[in-house]
Amino acid sequence: MAKWTPKHEAPEPLEGPVVATITGGTLVWFVLFLVQLPFYGWFADHGHTWWLWTCLAGGGLGLVGIWYVRRRDAAIKRAAGGGTATRQPDSSAR
């Protein structure tokens, strides 16, 4: 069996407002959890409580995602700035 080789180059990765996208998605998960929470009894009666816990897990994982993409974004900006960013002392605090 022959090894598969791509016929064209891979496209460049899309860059955009990653932090805003992840934050928005996280908010949607938490809102879905809160909207479904008053109907917990109905979900429990019909065996669908996993819907609530899926929304809560999505919100929790979204918080991890926000932490990750903020650190990634800061690292990209530091690298583009040409090295490590050092904090300058504030001369007005004297």
Side-chain angles (χ1 to χ4, degrees):
M1 190 185 261
K3 183 178 177 184
W4 179 82
T5 56
K7 294 182 169 89
H8 53 80
E9 291 184 31
E12 290 293 320
L14 296 174
E15 290 294 330
V18 180
V19 176
T21 302
I22 300 301
T23 302
T26 302
L27 287 174
V28 167
W29 280 114
F30 278 126
V31 166
L32 286 172
F33 173 74
L34 292 174
V35 166
Q36 294 179 34
L37 196 57
F39 304 102
Y40 184 85
W42 184 89
F43 285 116
D45 291 344
H46 293 87
H48 296 303
T49 55
W50 64 271
W51 290 9
L52 282 101
W53 307 126
T54 300
C55 293
L56 187 61
L61 289 172
L63 292 175
V64 174
I66 291 169
W67 173 80
Y68 178 81
V69 296
R70 289 186 68 190
R71 288 191 53 152
R72 177 185 176 267
D73 195 40
I76 290 171
K77 288 179 182 174
R78 269 195 317 273
T84 60
T86 58
R87 186 174 175 187
Q88 298 296 326
D90 188 11
S91 61
S92 64
R94 293 181 191 180

